[in-house]
Amino acid sequence: MYEVYVALEGLHTEAWRAVNAVHVHDEVFRLVGNMPDDESWQFTPGQLVECERCVLTGKGAPTDKEVLAARRAVTPASL
């Protein structure tokens, strides 16, 4: 199991949520788990996402630590 950071939507500031994910292929992961009712994520559980390693800023982001961040949705056909 991996930890992928997903951007939270609908907030007035940059914020992230650490989400469990399963490695699928190269930099592609499937998000697993449940989204809390009071949050809106850029990508939803079950979705395939392409990630990149980076240092994030904003609420919920670890400081000075490189993490996997979800950057775009991926379709199974594109793998």
Side-chain angles (χ1 to χ4, degrees):
M1 194 72 65
Y2 290 81
E3 186 174 74
V4 170
Y5 282 79
V6 176
L8 298 177
E9 296 184 324
L11 302 176
H12 300 291
T13 185
E14 184 178 13
W16 300 88
R17 167 67 65 204
V19 177
N20 286 329
V22 175
H23 183 246
V24 175
H25 176 70
D26 293 335
E27 297 298 318
V28 176
F29 295 80
R30 181 178 305 279
L31 301 177
V32 297
N34 297 307
M35 181 173 19
D37 291 336
D38 62 343
E39 291 183 0
S40 179
W41 298 351
Q42 182 180 12
F43 307 105
T44 57
Q47 197 166 17
L48 293 174
V49 292
E50 183 175 44
C51 297
E52 71 177 31
R53 292 193 176 279
C54 59
V55 176
L56 300 174
T57 60
K59 184 179 177 185
T63 56
D64 300 324
K65 177 182 171 187
E66 192 175 76
V67 297
L68 286 169
R71 294 300 187 192
R72 70 179 184 92
V74 176
T75 62
S78 66
L79 295 179

